[in-house]
Amino acid sequence: MSTALRVAILGASGYTGAELVRLLVRHPDVRLVALTAERQAGKPLGEVFPHLGGYDLPDLVKIDQVDWDGVDFVFCALPHGTTQEVIASLPARLKVVDLSADFRLHDIETYATWYGHAHKAPELQTEAVYGLVEANREAVKGARLVANPGCYPTASQLPLLPLLRQGLILADDIIIDAKSGVSGAGRDAKQGNLYGEVAEGIHAYGVASHRHAPEIEQGVSEAAGKPVVLNFTPHLMPMSRGILSSIYVKLAPGISADDLRAALVAAYKGETFVRVLPAGQAPQTRHVKGSNHCLIGVFADRVPGRAILLSVIDNLVKGASGQAIQNMNLMMGFPEQRGLEQAPMFP
Amino acid sequence: MSTALRVAILGASGYTGAELVRLLVRHPDVRLVALTAERQAGKPLGEVFPHLGGYDLPDLVKIDQVDWDGVDFVFCALPHGTTQEVIASLPARLKVVDLSADFRLHDIETYATWYGHAHKAPELQTEAVYGLVEANREAVKGARLVANPGCYPTASQLPLLPLLRQGLILADDIIIDAKSGVSGAGRDAKQGNLYGEVAEGIHAYGVASHRHAPEIEQGVSEAAGKPVVLNFTPHLMPMSRGILSSIYVKLAPGISADDLRAALVAAYKGETFVRVLPAGQAPQTRHVKGSNHCLIGVFADRVPGRAILLSVIDNLVKGASGQAIQNMNLMMGFPEQRGLEQAPMFP
Amino acid sequence: MSTALRVAILGASGYTGAELVRLLVRHPDVRLVALTAERQAGKPLGEVFPHLGGYDLPDLVKIDQVDWDGVDFVFCALPHGTTQEVIASLPARLKVVDLSADFRLHDIETYATWYGHAHKAPELQTEAVYGLVEANREAVKGARLVANPGCYPTASQLPLLPLLRQGLILADDIIIDAKSGVSGAGRDAKQGNLYGEVAEGIHAYGVASHRHAPEIEQGVSEAAGKPVVLNFTPHLMPMSRGILSSIYVKLAPGISADDLRAALVAAYKGETFVRVLPAGQAPQTRHVKGSNHCLIGVFADRVPGRAILLSVIDNLVKGASGQAIQNMNLMMGFPEQRGLEQAPMFP
Amino acid sequence: MSTALRVAILGASGYTGAELVRLLVRHPDVRLVALTAERQAGKPLGEVFPHLGGYDLPDLVKIDQVDWDGVDFVFCALPHGTTQEVIASLPARLKVVDLSADFRLHDIETYATWYGHAHKAPELQTEAVYGLVEANREAVKGARLVANPGCYPTASQLPLLPLLRQGLILADDIIIDAKSGVSGAGRDAKQGNLYGEVAEGIHAYGVASHRHAPEIEQGVSEAAGKPVVLNFTPHLMPMSRGILSSIYVKLAPGISADDLRAALVAAYKGETFVRVLPAGQAPQTRHVKGSNHCLIGVFADRVPGRAILLSVIDNLVKGASGQAIQNMNLMMGFPEQRGLEQAPMFP
């Protein structure tokens, strides 16, 4: 244990922070040495998250109470916008995975447009590597600062990128109808996330205005080799975890849905966490719950020249904390799947 | 009460049957005189549906036990496929609203293709009027046999038809991503509908093969004035009631999303049950629960030349039993909204 | 319509306020003339509650903006503690049903003990009639101010009071294990009521300290003819509506569970809203959802000399707004069930 | 891997079977060599349980297709009643944990009374060790056949047994109000377990007649040193996993709720899976989800001389498959917590 990686989690009182803890307490190469939460500082974590009360963990502290000399690696799970200055203030030798949106957009101006203020750490923005591992593995290995992808962008890009890179689908008229569980909205008390407002119903939100759209477009544009604007319509679902992206695409001339499936099978051959389902099988969010898995299904459309891509992840794992650990594993030279071996929990 | 319409419900042990009873016990012009259920015959309805146990209602009987002389009007809520012969065998003087799919498709061959057998009552098929009231009110008034629209087709056609008729959207590449509660699948015991298989997750089903596709295409083609093939992708949601149709459409040249909203506001002006929401407001299924309402929202897409239509209904009310009563009211000359005045139940 | 009762709802932006509106828009003798909500004043109700957006209703105002000359009757659905002074300030000619806890406890000192401050309108406390209609109908008819019972107390007292009055059960060791949907906690944003904190789980809360305990004990003591302290343990459930009270009681010597059931059947004979189920049938909360019904089941225990009472209500209807309207009907001489004829909504 | 324990799961197509697989694929000392399912034989497990489709596992076979020479250890997750003959027919050298109820009741006549037929393997009944590990650890270590406790009995006995053994509570009038998720009812298609029949509601079932009552009474009677009859009232909840037992007990003279808590803390000191919460904290089922944990809370009652015990488990883990693995670990000399290190998943 003396040689374990000493890890700090900044923002441990939110859902992604708790999920990092849940996964890391079983990671054999990691020791949690600092957990921060500004408003809850001083409390044991088990008071904020009783499900973690039985583990031997440090109490919550404020960020400025952390002794950075005893830290090797940082997960930053702070709210969007507050993160830039915090990370900029950390000792430069620390490796960091940032789970916020602050370093995901390469283009400073796009960031400013969507987030309403100039970026506060543009030089870090340049340095940051986008941590969608299956698309960007080699760059992640050498990174000091990784921007962990958003949940929606992860679920959307995994099926799209290989197909666009190979020109098997058109970049025009990509429509992403996404359905998310409510944990993606965090643990802060908001009326719209009350049980009575979420249970037994569904509605779209952030229609044509959700901040994950430019993040998806960034990856899709790179893969397509040209600027792409796409439809991204998220919906809030009565479930705690999970994202389903139903993606409606146009086939390149001469290409069939079976070709798409074959290309995805080939692209993800050897991957631990991405699995392409057999023809006719539609993925279910509940079949990845609690795991770092992504399942992808491919269907021909009845409309000629069209196909349907369906992908599911657990937004808190592959869409956040699990992928963050996957990034850490690569950055530290650990086996990529370490600490992420949990099978999905069903039902 | 002696002059009340004497109503029989065939198939009263299913969810749509129970919903007819729920609504009709408050309809001042109706008296329920016969409730059938082949396998449950002999039982009081309150044994099958305890929530209806406190009402003065006839016990369940088999269809062949009904005294048709005492019946004026029939709701047929039997499974698809079994209905044709039953309705054909009823006294011809009886007015009927059929909630099954058996008489919805005008084209006998389309029926045979999608349902796997030749239609057993083609002459009734010709006679049947498609009961999407807001689109077909005058024909319904004079009908003897009304085919009550499917739940998905109701939610999809209400926003689409006026726009297609006026040429404000293109008939190409219409994509309908629909999300339904599980009551649409009925009350029969199926593993896929168990709580553990439905709660806390979502998945697409019947992708590119759902039987409601040709029903939607029939209406859309009529409105567009040409044959249309469209994408219809239903998803099963963890909720008992409700359908949300998220519809992705292309605008006709020079038309904006605001034009679409204005056209829908005009089209549904004076309607009791269809309401177009103000700009920026997305409808929620839970805001129509238990009511015969349909709410429609219209959004511009970030993709130029595209728009997003969102519509919600309660699949058991406007998508089934409520619309059936709306049809009955028209057929009998009652005020259209009678017995359907219930406000939505939220939360 | 000119002779309709002109009704004001104070506190119309909460769940019980909305539920009053839902039910009253179908009440033929009522016209809603004022809806108040301090923080939302100026908005149409449909902005706060989109499910009520299609009705012709007054906009939300502040209490001090109400023209009392145009009001005949007041429902007060304000938070506990704020109500006393508001009601004391109303014109004395107005009849009032108060849905808060402020006037339920007859004993001023018990109030002070449980609510932490002296009562601010003790003379109204004396005047107020406790509106558990089935137990107190005649007093309600003549009342000017009715204290509408709490949801838990309604579900618990309806099965207990007749049995205690007749001495069929002992007043010792009454154990009430109650399970409630989350709407009982209101619509304010609290972390503990978020979907992620309520769904897919259960926990007890307010153990041995919930404020509904003294209200239940007040009624139980009166019925038993002696002071009673009892166990009341509420649990929070993943459901929006509904309360189940599982009550464990000791039988008086020589008395059986069948005797209890017979006594309850007799006690509630002729009642519209309370129904005692046949032997062997356990009530379900979902069988009263949306209705003003209470279902009661009675079971023998395997432990000799014990019995089990099970009762269910919809906490927002019979446990709040429905019972409030039932009280109004009695106070105004309307038929008791008017506006409350809705059948339960299942599923 | 060559020295791994070769494990067969009989009945791998049910929820407890799938849960065994979920947990065992991460157990470093175990290799799954046979998975049986009579009706699904021939299929890959991933077809029946897509969440397990990515693991290298044997296909499903019938029991009579298993090569017992290649098997060291058997988990039997077959339905109650069918198990006795199957286990009796296995090679006697095989160690077995049986998850059914067939070997839990020591008394053959009690079994016959509650299960309606004479026991078919009475000599095995005598041999079987009741596998409530924390209460029976030493006996389990030497057992060949372990009867894995029921889910309700596990949740109920863990708080009760230490207190009864020490005479801190009375054995009279123990009332167990239990709330369970629906996975306890299995994966077979039954109308009562459909989403629409379970969601958004609660009801008691098996009142005074549930088969887990005699199992609890067996343990409680042994601990109390005299025959005990108790109240056990299970309720079906809208959640997939979890059991909460709310237990109402009488204190021995001079004993307080704090004494109970102290005794439980002492009794479970050093246990990995059972944790007693601090005063004032009520356990939530969602805080043990997916883990082998049991959380216990203790509260004083307002009724003098009474206390309230609250305990939660995940019915599929500590209440079934997790405890089964815990038993296997002891029987095989593995560390008790191996393969069960998963932290609870919240939300």
Side-chain angles (χ1 to χ4, degrees):
Chain A
M1 203 60 162
S2 58
T3 64
L5 187 74
R6 297 169 302 172
V7 168
I9 299 174
L10 311 188
S13 65
Y15 287 143
T16 54
E19 190 71 354
L20 283 166
V21 175
R22 175 178 80 93
L23 296 166
L24 289 174
V25 292
R26 281 193 86 179
H27 195 300
D29 303 318
V30 162
R31 185 154 53 98
L32 289 169
V33 295
L35 304 173
T36 83
E38 300 306 297
R39 283 171 299 176
Q40 313 272 9
K43 294 183 186 171
L45 185 65
E47 196 169 310
V48 176
F49 286 117
H51 69 295
L52 298 171
Y55 295 87
D56 184 23
L57 294 166
D59 286 350
L60 294 166
V61 296
K62 298 193 180 202
I63 290 177
D64 61 15
Q65 296 175 303
V66 176
D67 172 13
W68 297 109
D69 290 343
V71 175
D72 302 314
F73 197 97
V74 174
F75 289 102
C76 190
L78 298 169
H80 305 310
T82 67
T83 301
Q84 297 153 38
E85 290 164 307
V86 169
I87 293 184
S89 74
L90 296 178
R93 67 170 176 80
L94 288 174
K95 295 195 175 181
V96 179
V97 173
D98 177 31
L99 285 82
S100 85
D102 280 19
F103 296 98
R104 292 180 195 154
L105 296 179
H106 305 156
D107 185 58
I108 292 289
E109 292 182 25
T110 305
Y111 178 88
T113 301
W114 284 85
Y115 287 86
H117 62 89
H119 202 280
K120 297 167 190 162
E123 68 295 345
L124 285 176
Q125 183 87 319
T126 313
E127 178 193 352
V129 170
Y130 187 71
L132 186 64
V133 174
E134 287 78 8
N136 217 16
R137 184 172 280 115
E138 292 312 309
V140 167
K141 285 180 182 170
R144 186 191 76 86
L145 169 58
V146 163
N148 207 54
C151 49
Y152 286 125
T154 297
S156 298
Q157 292 180 90
L158 285 173
L160 281 171
L161 298 192
L163 303 179
L164 286 163
R165 283 179 182 154
Q166 299 179 44
L168 301 175
I169 58 173
L170 306 186
D172 304 330
D173 283 351
I174 294 174
I175 291 166
I176 303 174
D177 184 298
K179 298 91 174 168
S180 175
V182 72
S183 63
R187 205 189 190 194
D188 284 345
K190 296 173 200 153
Q191 190 184 66
N193 297 335
L194 292 177
Y195 181 88
E197 311 284 321
V198 173
E200 290 287 304
I202 185 170
H203 61 278
Y205 69 100
V207 182
S209 63
H210 194 283
R211 288 169 169 178
H212 281 182
E215 184 182 340
I216 301 171
E217 288 173 351
Q218 170 179 278
V220 162
S221 298
E222 286 172 9
K226 64 176 181 183
V228 175
V229 177
L230 47 72
N231 175 296
F232 170 65
T233 309
H235 298 73
L236 186 67
M237 290 269 309
M239 58 188 189
S240 286
R241 290 167 178 251
I243 286 182
L244 166 62
S245 283
S246 307
I247 309 178
Y248 303 94
V249 296
K250 287 184 175 167
L251 296 160
I255 299 300
S256 71
D258 286 339
D259 296 332
L260 302 191
R261 188 182 307 103
L264 288 169
V265 167
Y268 292 118
K269 188 170 189 239
E271 291 290 350
T272 303
F273 297 122
V274 182
R275 186 154 57 98
V276 182
L277 297 177
Q281 203 174 327
Q284 307 197 7
T285 57
R286 55 185 80 69
H287 291 154
V288 297
K289 194 165 53 177
S291 80
N292 202 47
H293 298 180
C294 173
L295 300 182
I296 300 175
V298 182
F299 287 81
D301 198 333
R302 290 179 60 243
V303 182
R306 283 196 155 276
I308 305 161
L309 309 172
L310 302 167
S311 78
V312 295
I313 60 168
D314 183 323
N315 60 301
L316 288 181
V317 191
K318 184 62 178 169
S321 304
Q323 185 151 255
I325 293 169
Q326 192 181 357
N327 275 304
M328 176 198 75
N329 285 337
L330 286 175
M331 294 162 80
M332 299 307 304
F334 302 146
E336 188 174 325
Q337 75 279 12
R338 190 159 286 173
L340 300 169
E341 298 93 344
Q342 295 206 47
M345 199 176 90
F346 172 84
Chain B
M1 204 58 163
S2 58
T3 63
L5 187 73
R6 297 169 303 172
V7 168
I9 298 174
L10 311 188
S13 64
Y15 287 143
T16 54
E19 189 72 354
L20 283 165
V21 174
R22 175 176 82 93
L23 296 166
L24 290 173
V25 292
R26 282 194 84 177
H27 195 300
D29 303 318
V30 161
R31 184 154 52 96
L32 288 168
V33 295
L35 305 172
T36 82
E38 300 305 298
R39 282 171 300 177
Q40 312 272 7
K43 294 184 186 170
L45 184 65
E47 196 169 311
V48 176
F49 286 117
H51 68 296
L52 298 171
Y55 296 86
D56 183 23
L57 293 166
D59 287 350
L60 294 166
V61 296
K62 298 192 179 202
I63 290 177
D64 62 15
Q65 296 174 303
V66 176
D67 172 14
W68 298 110
D69 289 344
V71 174
D72 302 315
F73 197 96
V74 174
F75 289 102
C76 190
L78 298 169
H80 305 311
T82 66
T83 301
Q84 296 154 39
E85 290 165 306
V86 168
I87 293 183
S89 73
L90 296 178
R93 67 171 176 80
L94 288 173
K95 294 194 175 182
V96 179
V97 172
D98 177 32
L99 285 82
S100 85
D102 281 19
F103 296 99
R104 293 179 194 154
L105 297 179
H106 304 156
D107 185 58
I108 291 290
E109 291 182 27
T110 304
Y111 178 89
T113 299
W114 284 85
Y115 288 85
H117 62 88
H119 202 281
K120 297 167 189 162
E123 70 294 347
L124 285 176
Q125 183 87 319
T126 312
E127 179 192 352
V129 169
Y130 188 72
L132 186 65
V133 173
E134 286 78 8
N136 217 15
R137 182 172 281 114
E138 291 312 307
V140 167
K141 286 181 181 169
R144 186 190 75 86
L145 169 60
V146 163
N148 207 55
C151 49
Y152 285 125
T154 297
S156 298
Q157 292 180 90
L158 286 172
L160 281 171
L161 298 193
L163 304 179
L164 286 164
R165 282 178 183 155
Q166 298 180 45
L168 301 175
I169 58 172
L170 306 185
D172 305 331
D173 283 350
I174 294 173
I175 290 165
I176 304 174
D177 184 297
K179 298 90 174 166
S180 175
V182 71
S183 64
R187 207 189 188 194
D188 285 345
K190 296 174 201 153
Q191 190 184 66
N193 296 336
L194 293 176
Y195 181 88
E197 311 283 322
V198 173
E200 290 288 304
I202 185 170
H203 61 278
Y205 70 100
V207 182
S209 63
H210 194 283
R211 287 168 168 178
H212 281 181
E215 183 181 340
I216 300 170
E217 288 174 352
Q218 170 179 278
V220 162
S221 297
E222 286 172 9
K226 64 176 181 183
V228 175
V229 177
L230 48 72
N231 176 295
F232 170 64
T233 308
H235 298 73
L236 186 66
M237 290 269 310
M239 59 189 187
S240 286
R241 291 167 177 252
I243 285 182
L244 166 62
S245 284
S246 306
I247 309 178
Y248 303 95
V249 297
K250 286 183 176 167
L251 295 160
I255 299 300
S256 72
D258 285 340
D259 296 332
L260 302 191
R261 188 183 308 101
L264 288 169
V265 166
Y268 292 118
K269 185 167 195 251
E271 291 290 349
T272 304
F273 297 121
V274 182
R275 185 154 59 97
V276 181
L277 297 177
Q281 203 174 327
Q284 307 197 7
T285 56
R286 55 184 82 69
H287 291 154
V288 297
K289 195 165 53 176
S291 80
N292 201 47
H293 298 181
C294 173
L295 300 182
I296 299 176
V298 182
F299 286 82
D301 199 334
R302 291 180 59 244
V303 182
R306 284 197 155 276
I308 305 161
L309 309 173
L310 303 167
S311 77
V312 296
I313 61 169
D314 182 323
N315 60 301
L316 289 181
V317 191
K318 184 60 178 168
S321 305
Q323 185 152 254
I325 293 169
Q326 193 181 357
N327 275 302
M328 176 199 75
N329 284 337
L330 285 175
M331 295 161 80
M332 298 307 303
F334 301 147
E336 188 175 322
Q337 74 278 13
R338 189 159 287 172
L340 300 169
E341 297 93 345
Q342 295 207 45
M345 197 174 92
F346 172 85
Chain C
M1 205 59 161
S2 58
T3 62
L5 187 74
R6 298 169 301 172
V7 168
I9 298 174
L10 311 188
S13 64
Y15 286 143
T16 54
E19 189 72 355
L20 283 166
V21 175
R22 176 177 81 92
L23 295 167
L24 289 173
V25 292
R26 283 194 85 178
H27 195 300
D29 302 318
V30 161
R31 185 154 53 96
L32 288 169
V33 295
L35 304 173
T36 82
E38 300 305 297
R39 283 171 299 176
Q40 313 272 8
K43 294 184 185 170
L45 184 65
E47 195 169 310
V48 176
F49 286 117
H51 69 295
L52 298 171
Y55 296 85
D56 183 23
L57 294 166
D59 287 350
L60 294 166
V61 296
K62 298 193 180 201
I63 290 177
D64 61 15
Q65 296 174 303
V66 176
D67 172 12
W68 297 109
D69 290 344
V71 174
D72 303 314
F73 197 97
V74 175
F75 289 102
C76 190
L78 298 170
H80 305 310
T82 67
T83 301
Q84 296 153 39
E85 289 164 307
V86 169
I87 293 185
S89 74
L90 296 178
R93 67 169 177 81
L94 288 173
K95 293 193 176 182
V96 179
V97 172
D98 176 32
L99 286 81
S100 84
D102 280 19
F103 296 99
R104 292 179 194 153
L105 297 179
H106 305 155
D107 184 59
I108 292 289
E109 292 182 26
T110 303
Y111 179 88
T113 299
W114 284 84
Y115 287 86
H117 63 88
H119 202 281
K120 298 166 189 163
E123 69 295 346
L124 285 176
Q125 184 86 319
T126 311
E127 179 193 351
V129 170
Y130 187 71
L132 186 66
V133 174
E134 287 78 7
N136 217 16
R137 185 172 280 115
E138 291 312 309
V140 168
K141 285 181 182 171
R144 187 191 75 85
L145 169 59
V146 163
N148 208 53
C151 49
Y152 286 124
T154 298
S156 298
Q157 291 180 89
L158 286 172
L160 281 172
L161 299 192
L163 303 179
L164 286 163
R165 282 178 182 155
Q166 298 179 43
L168 301 175
I169 57 173
L170 306 186
D172 304 330
D173 282 350
I174 295 174
I175 290 166
I176 303 175
D177 184 297
K179 298 90 174 169
S180 175
V182 70
S183 63
R187 205 188 189 195
D188 284 345
K190 295 174 201 153
Q191 189 184 67
N193 297 335
L194 292 176
Y195 181 88
E197 311 283 321
V198 173
E200 291 286 305
I202 185 170
H203 60 278
Y205 70 100
V207 181
S209 62
H210 194 285
R211 287 168 169 179
H212 280 181
E215 184 181 340
I216 301 171
E217 288 172 352
Q218 170 180 279
V220 161
S221 297
E222 286 171 10
K226 64 176 181 182
V228 175
V229 178
L230 47 71
N231 175 297
F232 170 64
T233 309
H235 298 74
L236 186 67
M237 289 269 312
M239 59 188 189
S240 286
R241 289 167 178 252
I243 286 182
L244 166 62
S245 284
S246 306
I247 308 177
Y248 303 95
V249 296
K250 287 184 176 167
L251 296 160
I255 299 300
S256 71
D258 285 340
D259 295 333
L260 302 191
R261 187 183 308 101
L264 288 168
V265 166
Y268 291 118
K269 189 171 190 255
E271 291 290 348
T272 304
F273 297 122
V274 182
R275 185 154 57 97
V276 181
L277 297 177
Q281 205 174 325
Q284 307 197 6
T285 57
R286 56 185 78 72
H287 291 154
V288 297
K289 195 166 52 177
S291 80
N292 202 48
H293 298 181
C294 173
L295 301 182
I296 299 175
V298 182
F299 286 82
D301 198 333
R302 290 179 60 245
V303 181
R306 283 197 154 277
I308 305 161
L309 309 173
L310 303 166
S311 77
V312 296
I313 60 169
D314 182 323
N315 59 301
L316 288 180
V317 191
K318 184 60 178 169
S321 304
Q323 185 151 256
I325 293 169
Q326 191 181 357
N327 276 303
M328 176 198 76
N329 284 337
L330 285 175
M331 293 160 80
M332 297 307 303
F334 301 147
E336 187 175 324
Q337 75 278 14
R338 190 159 284 173
L340 300 170
E341 298 92 346
Q342 296 206 46
M345 198 175 91
F346 171 85
Chain D
M1 204 61 161
S2 58
T3 63
L5 188 74
R6 297 169 302 171
V7 168
I9 298 174
L10 311 188
S13 65
Y15 286 142
T16 53
E19 190 72 355
L20 283 166
V21 174
R22 175 176 82 92
L23 296 167
L24 289 174
V25 293
R26 280 194 87 177
H27 195 300
D29 302 318
V30 162
R31 185 154 51 96
L32 288 169
V33 295
L35 304 173
T36 83
E38 300 305 299
R39 283 170 300 176
Q40 312 272 9
K43 294 183 185 170
L45 184 65
E47 196 169 309
V48 176
F49 285 116
H51 69 295
L52 298 171
Y55 296 85
D56 183 24
L57 294 167
D59 286 351
L60 294 166
V61 295
K62 298 193 179 201
I63 290 177
D64 62 15
Q65 295 174 305
V66 176
D67 173 12
W68 297 110
D69 289 344
V71 174
D72 302 315
F73 197 97
V74 174
F75 288 102
C76 190
L78 298 169
H80 305 311
T82 66
T83 300
Q84 296 154 39
E85 289 164 308
V86 168
I87 293 184
S89 73
L90 296 178
R93 69 172 174 79
L94 289 173
K95 293 193 177 183
V96 179
V97 172
D98 177 32
L99 285 82
S100 85
D102 281 19
F103 295 99
R104 292 179 195 153
L105 296 179
H106 304 156
D107 185 58
I108 293 289
E109 291 181 27
T110 304
Y111 178 88
T113 300
W114 283 85
Y115 287 86
H117 63 89
H119 202 281
K120 297 166 190 164
E123 70 294 347
L124 285 176
Q125 185 86 319
T126 311
E127 178 192 352
V129 169
Y130 187 72
L132 186 65
V133 173
E134 287 78 8
N136 217 15
R137 183 172 280 116
E138 293 311 310
V140 167
K141 285 181 182 170
R144 188 191 73 87
L145 169 60
V146 163
N148 207 53
C151 48
Y152 286 124
T154 297
S156 299
Q157 291 179 89
L158 285 173
L160 281 171
L161 299 193
L163 303 180
L164 286 164
R165 282 179 183 155
Q166 299 180 45
L168 301 174
I169 58 173
L170 307 186
D172 304 331
D173 283 348
I174 295 174
I175 290 167
I176 303 173
D177 184 298
K179 300 89 174 169
S180 175
V182 71
S183 63
R187 207 187 187 195
D188 285 344
K190 295 174 201 152
Q191 190 183 65
N193 297 335
L194 292 176
Y195 182 88
E197 311 283 322
V198 173
E200 290 287 306
I202 185 170
H203 61 279
Y205 70 100
V207 181
S209 62
H210 194 284
R211 286 169 170 178
H212 281 182
E215 184 182 339
I216 300 171
E217 289 173 351
Q218 170 180 279
V220 162
S221 297
E222 285 172 9
K226 64 176 180 181
V228 175
V229 177
L230 48 71
N231 175 296
F232 170 64
T233 309
H235 297 75
L236 186 67
M237 290 268 311
M239 60 187 187
S240 286
R241 291 168 178 251
I243 286 182
L244 166 62
S245 284
S246 307
I247 308 178
Y248 303 95
V249 296
K250 287 185 176 165
L251 295 161
I255 299 300
S256 71
D258 285 339
D259 296 332
L260 302 191
R261 187 182 309 101
L264 288 169
V265 166
Y268 292 118
K269 185 164 196 256
E271 291 290 348
T272 304
F273 297 121
V274 181
R275 186 154 57 97
V276 181
L277 297 176
Q281 202 174 328
Q284 306 198 7
T285 57
R286 56 184 80 71
H287 291 155
V288 296
K289 195 166 53 176
S291 79
N292 202 48
H293 298 181
C294 173
L295 300 181
I296 300 175
V298 182
F299 286 82
D301 198 334
R302 290 179 60 245
V303 181
R306 284 197 154 276
I308 306 162
L309 309 173
L310 303 166
S311 77
V312 296
I313 60 169
D314 182 323
N315 59 302
L316 289 181
V317 191
K318 184 60 178 168
S321 304
Q323 184 150 256
I325 292 169
Q326 192 181 356
N327 276 303
M328 176 198 75
N329 285 337
L330 286 175
M331 294 161 80
M332 298 307 304
F334 302 147
E336 188 174 325
Q337 75 278 14
R338 190 159 285 173
L340 300 170
E341 298 92 345
Q342 295 206 48
M345 198 176 91
F346 172 85

